[in-house]
Amino acid sequence: MRSILQWSVRNTPAMNTLMIAGMLLGIITLMKMRREVFPEFDLEILLVSVPYPGASPDEVEEGICQKIEEAVRAIEGIKKQTSVAQEGAGFVVIELESSVRDVQKVLNEVRSEVDRIPSFPLFAEDPEVKQITLRQPVIRVGVIGPDRTDPESELQLRAVAERVRDDLLQQPAVSQAEIIGARDFQIDIEIPEETLRKHGLTLKQVAEIVRRENIELPGGTMRTDAGEVLLRGKNKRTLGEEIAEMPLVTTPEGVVLSVGDLGVVRDDFDDSITSLSRINGRPGLAISVERTSSEDLLAMVADVRKYVAASDLPPGYTMAVWGDRSVEVRDRLEMLAENGVQGLILVFVLLAIFLEIRLAFWVALGIPVALLGTCAVLYFAGHTLNMLTSFAFLMVLGILVDDAIVVGENVYDHRTRGKSFLQAAIDGTSEVLPSVASSVATTVVAFLPLMFVSGVMGKFIGVMPVAVIAALLISLAEAAFILPCHLAHPPSGESFLARMQRWRGVMTKPLQLTAGNLLVALAWVWTQLAYPLHRIGDFFAWSNGASNAALDAFSRRFYV
C-alpha cells in the first residue's frame, strides 16, 4: 500500500485529472438523474380477477377461486396464493418468489392456465390477469364549474374536464392523467307504459331492438375488376340524440317510428352510483396526474403548473391545484444542499483556525468529491434522486470528512517534526491509513446487510446502503490517494497579493499601446478583490498561531 501511495503522490497530474473527471461526471449525472418521492419498483404480485354478477361469496369461492388455485398450483415460482371471494366477484392474489427473474414469463403462464379452465360458471365474465404495479399521483388538478347541480351542468363540467385532461397529456413531461370522482356515462330511454301497450312492445323487446341495431360489424371483402372493397356495417351510436333517431316500430301504413317518437332519450350519468364531487364548495372534477418509473417528478409538476397558469377555460370555470408531491422532494434537496454548504464551511473554518488554510481547503474538498462521485454511482446503478437517497446523503454527510481530517492532521503533525512536505505526506498518510480504512470498513459492514433484504422492503430501502457505501469508499479513496498529492507540495513563498500585483504589471505592459486603459482598470479591480482575500489569509495565519499557543498552554498547565 505504501508503494501505491508513493506513486500517487509523485503523479499529481494523474490524481488531479481523476478528481476533476470524477467531479464533472458527478455533475452531469446529477443533472440527468430522475427525481421522485420514493423509489419506483415493480411488485412480484399477480392478481387474477373474475366478475360474477349476482353470485354469493360461497358460489364465487366454489365456482371461481378454487378452480383458479388448482389451475396455477403447479406453476414454478409461486410462493403464496390468497383468495378473496365477495359478492359478484372473485380475486386470487399470487405472490411470487423473490428469486423470480422474469415476472412476465410467470404472468403469461398464469394467464394461459386460467384461460384453459373450462368449467367457469355460465354467467361469469372473462378473467383478467395482471401484475400489480404501484403508480404514485404527482399532483392533482381540479376543474371547478358553476354552482349548479342539474344534469346539463354536470355534462358540461365533464366535457371541460376531459378537455383539460387531453391538454395535460399533450405536455412534454406528462404521460398519465385520469379523471377521478366522475360517474360513468349513461343513456336513459324512457317510454310510457301506455305507449308500449299501444304498439305491443315490452321494455325487454325495446332493449333487444336497440342492442341489435346499435352495432358495428365487418362485412367482409368484395372483389371487383377495379380492386377489393372492404365492407363494414357502421351503425354504432354513442349519443342520446343519435339513439333517438334509431327506428323502433314500423306501422302497417309504412310509417317508421323512432325511439324518440315513442319516448324520451337523454344523456345522463350512471344513477346507481351516488357521488358528490365538490372542490372549494363548488361542483368540480379532479384530474390525477401520475408518473411512471422513467419520468422526472419536478419536470412533470413544472409542466402542469405552467399549463394551469396559462390555460383559458370557458366563462364560469376555474382550476385549482393541490397534492403537489414535489414539495417534499424539493425541501429535502434544499436541506441536503444547505447541510452540505454548512459542513464545508465548518470544516474549512475549524481546520483553518487550528491547522492552516491551505490544508483546510483540500480537506473540505473531499465532501463534494465524495457526493458527486456517489451521484455517478447511483446513476449508472439505475437509482434515482429521491427521499431515501437524500436521507442517505444527510446521514453520511457528517462521516465523509472524518478520514480526510485524520489524514490531513497527521500530515501536518509530521511537517512540524521537520520533515519535507513530500515525506510528511507519505509518512503521515501511511501511518494512519490502516486505522482510517478500518473505521470506514466497520461502517460499510454495518450497512452491507441492508443490500440483501428481500421482498418489498428490500426494494424500498435498497438505495440507502448503495449511497452510503459508495460515499464512504469514494471518500476513503480521495483521502488516501488524492489528498496526499495536494499536501505534498509546499506553497509558494510569494504571497497571493504579491502574485496579483505582479500579474497586473505583466499583463498591462504589452497592452498599453492598444486598450491599455481598460485592462489597467480591470487589473486594478482584480487587485482590489484580491486584497480582502489576502487579509482573510492573514487572519487565519494569526488565528492558527494563537490557537496553537493556547493549546500548548492548556497542555502544559492543565493536561500534563
Side-chain angles (χ1 to χ4, degrees):
M1 182 61 69
R2 186 180 178 89
S3 60
I4 300 176
L5 177 62
Q6 291 176 346
W7 180 89
S8 63
V9 170
R10 290 186 170 88
N11 290 270
T12 303
M15 294 296 103
N16 286 335
T17 302
L18 180 63
M19 181 188 69
I20 295 174
M23 294 182 69
L24 291 177
L25 181 63
I27 293 173
I28 295 173
T29 54
L30 179 62
M31 297 173 62
K32 296 179 65 176
M33 285 180 69
R34 288 180 287 108
R35 296 161 292 182
E36 57 187 2
V37 181
F38 291 109
E40 288 281 347
F41 54 87
D42 293 330
L43 299 176
E44 286 90 3
I45 300 177
L46 307 180
L47 175 64
V48 183
S49 58
V50 181
Y52 189 5
S56 65
D58 291 337
E59 294 174 333
V60 172
E61 170 68 19
E62 182 179 354
I64 292 178
C65 295
Q66 292 181 2
K67 295 178 179 180
I68 294 176
E69 291 176 358
E70 292 294 333
V72 303
R73 191 184 303 276
I75 297 178
E76 184 179 359
I78 294 180
K79 178 181 179 182
K80 180 182 178 182
Q81 297 185 50
T82 304
S83 297
V84 178
Q86 65 182 31
E87 184 177 354
F91 305 92
V92 177
V93 180
I94 303 174
E95 183 178 351
L96 305 182
E97 297 284 353
S98 58
S99 58
V100 174
R101 295 183 178 273
D102 191 353
V103 178
Q104 293 300 316
K105 179 181 178 181
V106 181
L107 176 64
N108 293 331
E109 292 179 0
V110 171
R111 183 179 288 114
S112 299
E113 294 297 332
V114 172
D115 291 339
R116 292 175 186 172
I117 299 176
S119 56
F120 273 141
L122 179 61
F123 295 103
E125 299 181 7
D126 294 335
E128 180 184 9
V129 184
K130 62 181 180 180
Q131 180 183 5
I132 296 179
T133 57
L134 298 177
R135 185 171 293 171
Q136 299 177 349
V138 173
I139 191 173
R140 289 189 174 177
V141 179
V143 180
I144 307 173
D147 195 5
R148 298 196 305 269
T149 57
D150 55 284
E152 185 66 25
S153 299
E154 188 174 359
L155 287 171
Q156 293 177 358
L157 176 61
R158 180 66 176 271
V160 174
E162 290 182 350
R163 195 197 82 180
V164 171
R165 180 197 59 190
D166 295 339
D167 291 343
L168 287 174
L169 292 175
Q170 299 300 319
Q171 304 303 311
V174 179
S175 63
Q176 303 288 333
E178 297 180 357
I179 299 176
I180 58 177
R183 295 190 294 172
D184 294 333
F185 284 111
Q186 177 177 286
I187 299 177
D188 292 338
I189 301 176
E190 295 181 358
I191 302 178
E193 184 178 356
E194 294 79 4
T195 305
L196 292 174
R197 290 179 178 178
K198 179 179 178 181
H199 296 280
L201 295 173
T202 63
L203 288 177
K204 184 177 181 180
Q205 291 175 338
V206 173
E208 290 177 354
I209 294 173
V210 172
R211 185 181 300 111
R212 185 178 64 246
E213 296 294 332
N214 189 32
I215 59 174
E216 182 176 352
L217 292 175
T221 303
M222 183 176 64
R223 292 185 175 88
T224 64
D225 295 337
E228 294 184 355
V229 179
L230 295 177
L231 302 179
R232 174 176 290 273
K234 190 174 182 181
N235 196 38
K236 188 72 173 178
R237 311 185 184 199
T238 58
L239 297 178
E241 57 185 13
E242 297 174 350
I243 297 291
E245 298 174 356
M246 186 177 297
L248 187 60
V249 176
T250 302
T251 64
E253 294 80 10
V255 178
V256 179
L257 299 177
S258 65
V259 177
D261 294 333
L262 300 183
V264 177
V265 182
R266 64 175 180 270
D267 294 310
D268 206 338
F269 293 95
D270 187 1
D271 52 7
S272 64
I273 301 176
T274 303
S275 65
L276 181 65
S277 179
R278 302 184 73 87
I279 301 173
N280 294 336
R282 293 167 56 187
L285 290 176
I287 301 173
S288 178
V289 180
E290 301 175 348
R291 62 174 295 274
T292 61
S293 59
S294 61
E295 295 172 336
D296 186 273
L297 184 144
L298 297 186
M300 182 179 296
V301 171
D303 281 358
V304 171
R305 289 190 174 275
K306 181 180 179 181
Y307 167 77
V308 171
S311 62
D312 184 17
L313 297 183
Y317 290 87
T318 58
M319 281 197 292
V321 175
W322 72 92
D324 187 353
R325 302 297 301 275
S326 67
V327 176
E328 304 172 3
V329 179
R330 190 176 289 106
D331 290 345
R332 186 61 61 88
L333 295 178
E334 291 177 357
M335 181 189 300
L336 176 62
E338 292 176 0
N339 288 356
V341 172
Q342 292 173 4
L344 281 173
I345 294 175
L346 286 175
V347 169
F348 178 78
V349 172
L350 291 178
L351 291 182
I353 290 176
F354 290 99
L355 298 179
E356 62 179 22
I357 188 171
R358 183 170 170 270
L359 185 145
F361 171 79
W362 291 117
V363 170
L365 189 63
I367 294 179
V369 169
L371 292 181
L372 292 175
T374 305
C375 290
V377 173
L378 293 176
Y379 177 79
F380 289 109
H383 295 290
T384 60
L385 196 60
N386 50 62
M387 301 281 283
L388 295 181
T389 309
S390 303
F391 178 73
F393 282 155
L394 292 172
M395 185 168 47
V396 80
L397 194 58
I399 312 174
L400 286 180
V401 78
D402 290 350
D403 44 8
I405 291 177
V406 172
V407 171
E409 192 276 336
N410 201 52
V411 170
Y412 182 80
D413 179 67
H414 278 262
R415 287 184 198 169
T416 59
R417 302 178 189 178
K419 295 183 180 180
S420 64
F421 277 76
L422 179 62
Q423 193 63 35
I426 297 175
D427 294 344
T429 305
S430 60
E431 183 179 11
V432 298
L433 188 56
S435 301
V436 170
S438 299
S439 65
V440 172
T442 55
T443 309
V444 170
V445 170
F447 281 92
L448 195 61
L450 295 179
M451 298 182 64
F452 302 97
V453 178
S454 60
V456 177
M457 184 57 65
K459 292 186 176 183
F460 187 75
I461 66 173
V463 68
M464 288 181 55
V466 175
V468 172
I469 293 174
L472 290 174
L473 295 180
I474 294 174
S475 176
L476 175 63
E478 193 274 339
F481 302 108
I482 298 178
L483 179 61
C485 297
H486 300 140
L487 302 182
H489 302 284
S492 175
E494 187 178 18
S495 67
F496 183 71
L497 180 61
R499 288 199 299 271
M500 293 300 102
Q501 291 175 342
R502 177 170 54 82
W503 176 86
R504 181 184 64 176
V506 171
M507 294 299 295
T508 54
K509 282 181 180 180
L511 299 171
Q512 286 176 355
L513 298 178
T514 57
N517 294 331
L518 176 60
L519 291 175
V520 167
L522 292 175
W524 180 85
V525 172
W526 177 257
T527 306
Q528 299 303 313
L529 293 176
Y531 182 74
L533 298 177
H534 174 71
R535 301 302 299 172
I536 293 175
D538 290 343
F539 167 75
F540 280 115
W542 171 85
S543 64
N544 182 251
S547 62
N548 288 336
L551 289 176
D552 291 341
F554 176 81
S555 300
R556 290 193 304 269
R557 296 182 182 180
F558 301 101
Y559 182 74
V560 174

